[in-house]
Amino acid sequence: MPQESSRPAADERFSKRKAPATKERRGEPRKPAAERNERTPENIIFGIHPVREAIEAGTEIEKIYFRKTAGETLSPAERTQVGAANALREQALEADIHIQEVPIEKLNRLTHNGNHQGVAAVIAAIRYKDINELTEELEAQIAQGEAPLVMLMDSVTDIRNFGAIARSAECAGAAALIMPAKNSAPVNAEAIKSSAGALTLIPVCRVGSLKGAITRLKNIGMQCVAATEKSNTLVYEADFTRPTVIVMGAEDRGISRDVLSLCDVQAGIPLMGRIESLNVSAAAAVILFEARRQRFEQA
């Protein structure tokens, strides 16, 4: 008689293995973060007192998240925390720090279920330059006959584009980058990597009002050139040998109307193909190095 094979049948050998049941699947509660050896990212601080101390110490803060409590039923202890958090919110606004309300679940994720008291702050990866200090430095350069070049980004929110623009600006010898405190890509590790480290080399100003920043720069003798495909003037026709602020807008909406109205020149890049526009970082590189070309020829 033929012997029976000890090998499993094909359907048994190739059947999918079931993953072992996790504690969550078995209905057991998940361990606290500390017991799972999870660590809060080093650029996150949380809790009302630590965040307040960071603000008062002048620590560069990218953003502060506050717990969204509207419509929630709060315990007496939570209501006390909300009162303290509201005072901290006012302090943050006075310091021109961007704030955002988020569900408690996001705060729990950011802090790995730490005792955040409804507040968590993201520490900036770089130290921003004060717009007043930058204006004074640029004014001194202009007084000495120099023509500084500044890149201003209006709501460029994509991190890779932001980093690429910073890289091109640094390579082209720009004096600084200016960005809005709201509606802008964060300056974090990914942005620094995308910039090939340029964001740690070129001064970056984060301002509450782009209009206010432009007005300051125009008052010291700088012209503002807006990059827009809607202009009949080409970038090659603009005079970049003067002290200049180049203004780039968001890819989807372009430069905001309020900012555009303050610009002295609107210029576009001629496109010969069927695609209607360049990526904003590519367009920024073209304009920056057109400015550099004109300055080389003048020298």
Side-chain angles (χ1 to χ4, degrees):
M1 294 178 62
Q3 294 183 352
E4 293 184 2
S5 173
S6 60
R7 295 169 61 186
D11 59 340
E12 293 178 359
R13 285 185 289 130
F14 296 105
S15 61
K16 293 182 179 179
R17 292 184 178 180
K18 291 184 178 180
T22 62
K23 290 187 176 181
E24 288 85 350
R25 289 179 181 176
R26 293 198 299 265
E28 297 180 23
R30 198 179 186 205
K31 289 183 179 180
E35 296 181 27
R36 297 196 306 271
N37 295 321
E38 292 182 2
R39 297 174 59 190
T40 301
E42 293 181 359
N43 66 328
I44 299 289
I45 58 173
F46 56 89
I48 291 170
H49 294 299
V51 174
R52 179 184 294 119
E53 289 173 359
I55 295 174
E56 293 175 352
T59 303
E60 291 286 353
I61 297 176
E62 194 75 38
K63 179 187 294 187
I64 300 179
Y65 293 105
F66 288 89
R67 176 184 176 182
K68 184 185 294 184
T69 57
E72 292 187 3
T73 302
L74 304 176
S75 67
E78 287 176 321
R79 285 197 292 271
T80 301
Q81 286 182 359
V82 168
N86 286 338
L88 182 63
R89 183 196 306 263
E90 294 301 319
Q91 190 174 359
L93 290 173
E94 289 177 4
D96 286 330
I97 298 172
H98 180 40
I99 65 173
Q100 182 178 348
E101 287 192 347
V102 296
I104 190 172
E105 291 79 10
K106 178 162 185 175
L107 289 169
N108 291 341
R109 288 195 302 271
L110 282 172
T111 64
H112 292 304
N113 294 311
N115 183 23
H116 51 70
Q117 300 176 302
V119 178
V122 182
I123 304 301
I126 63 170
R127 187 159 192 86
Y128 292 101
K129 193 171 188 69
D130 181 73
I131 186 64
N132 296 320
E133 183 182 353
L134 175 65
T135 303
E136 291 176 2
E137 292 177 1
L138 295 174
E139 187 173 20
Q141 292 174 23
I142 294 170
Q144 294 173 3
E146 299 178 22
L149 187 65
V150 171
M151 171 61 69
L152 185 146
M153 290 180 275
D154 181 6
S155 302
V156 175
T157 56
D158 183 86
I159 289 179
R160 291 181 179 83
N161 281 334
F162 185 92
I165 292 172
R167 182 176 185 174
S168 295
E170 201 284 329
C171 289
L177 298 174
I178 298 177
M179 58 180 283
K182 297 181 181 180
N183 300 321
S184 181
V187 181
N188 55 19
E190 185 179 352
I192 292 173
K193 182 179 179 181
S194 296
S195 75
L199 284 166
T200 64
L201 300 174
I202 188 170
V204 181
C205 284
R206 185 177 58 175
V207 297
S209 168
L210 289 180
K211 291 174 60 180
I214 290 173
T215 300
R216 283 172 178 267
L217 297 176
K218 291 180 68 172
N219 286 342
I220 63 171
M222 299 192 75
Q223 67 167 346
C224 285
V225 178
T228 171
E229 72 278 5
K230 299 175 183 178
S231 174
N232 293 324
T233 301
L234 300 181
V235 292
Y236 311 117
E237 299 169 330
D239 181 6
F240 288 105
T241 62
R242 298 171 51 192
T244 301
V245 180
I246 297 173
V247 182
M248 305 299 300
E251 284 194 312
D252 53 350
R253 300 187 308 274
I255 299 170
S256 63
R257 186 176 301 176
D258 289 345
V259 170
L260 193 61
S261 67
L262 292 175
C263 294
D264 304 289
V265 179
Q266 297 181 26
I269 299 170
L271 302 177
M272 310 307 293
R274 288 179 288 181
I275 304 298
E276 294 182 354
S277 64
L278 286 173
N279 172 284
V280 64
S281 60
V286 170
I287 297 172
L288 281 162
F289 282 93
E290 169 58 19
R292 182 51 54 200
R293 182 194 67 80
Q294 291 185 17
R295 292 167 184 225
F296 278 142
E297 289 186 352
Q298 185 189 52

